[in-house]
Amino acid sequence: MDEHRLVLASRSPRRRHLLTQMGLDLEILPADVDETPAPGLSPVAVVKTLAENKACHVMQQRRQAWVLGADTIVVKDGRILGKPENPGQAVSMLECLSGATHSVFTGYTVGHHTRGKMITCAIETSVVFKALTKQEILWYTGTHEPYDKAGGYAVQGLGAFMVKEIRGSWANVVGLPVCEVIQTLVSLGAIQFQGQKS
């Protein structure tokens, strides 16, 4: 792909890794916005609203650049599971997810202020956890991994041992649906594959 710089409105190292491994040249500029979900919104509306808020905030600062904002949530039985702040919360989340299916939603917005272009989408992936023993939960919550992750686990890390099945985009569970994001960037003209006629 070409060398156009994309501004990522996120401090997530996982999103950064997913995009840089695609060869994209990134500027990291986290959006300073309130990420508290508005009450009464559907999971899709929550992630789309937050992604758009992040992108628009950074688009005001980088008016000549393409900006990508994103937000990921884990939802079980209609309840949004955020990032656990302590071992007790992490244990509670994993007990909730154990032996069951939950959904991961990521909303993303790609926009360019000067060109007046913006697209917002949301992707859902279903994740099936194996039944976890108390010992497994206590071991995992004793690691560093659960505490900056929605739902309290990382599918790309130690948490992989808990995931029995993924229905949909694996990258979406990590934090960004790469297939759809790249497709959106290409459709907007933000990037192009080398050899593609302009």
Side-chain angles (χ1 to χ4, degrees), residues 47-164:
V47 293
K48 289 177 77 171
T49 299
L50 291 175
E52 194 166 300
N53 288 347
K54 292 176 183 180
C56 288
H57 180 83
V58 172
M59 284 164 63
Q60 293 295 326
Q61 302 171 61
R62 295 290 187 273
R63 294 178 175 236
Q64 301 296 328
W66 289 101
V67 175
L68 170 63
D71 191 78
T72 300
I73 59 174
V74 171
V75 179
K76 173 69 167 56
D77 297 331
R79 173 187 165 208
I80 296 176
L81 303 180
K83 299 175 182 178
E85 297 179 0
N86 54 60
Q89 288 184 3
V91 168
S92 178
M93 285 184 188
L94 293 179
E95 288 176 342
C96 176
L97 299 177
S98 176
T101 300
H102 64 273
S103 294
V104 177
F105 294 87
T106 298
Y108 68 89
T109 295
V110 178
H112 194 293
H113 186 276
T114 301
R115 299 186 187 187
K117 292 184 177 182
M118 188 167 72
I119 290 178
T120 301
C121 301
I123 304 297
E124 178 183 3
T125 301
S126 294
V127 180
V128 182
F129 263 34
K130 73 169 200 163
L132 300 171
T133 66
K134 187 69 173 179
Q135 288 77 13
E136 288 171 331
I137 291 175
L138 290 175
W139 173 80
Y140 186 65
T141 56
T143 72
H144 68 281
E145 198 168 84
Y147 301 101
D148 66 340
K149 315 291 191 306
Y153 75 95
V155 68
Q156 77 281 11
L158 299 172
F161 84 93
M162 301 183 289
V163 178
K164 190 173 182 180

Side-chain angles (χ1 to χ4, degrees), residues 26 28-29 38 53 69 94 98 123 138 156 159 174 179 186 191 197:
L26 296 179
I28 308 300
L29 184 59
N53 288 347
L94 293 179
S98 176
I123 304 297
L138 290 175
Q156 77 281 11
V174 177
C179 175
V186 171
I191 63 171
K197 294 182 180 180

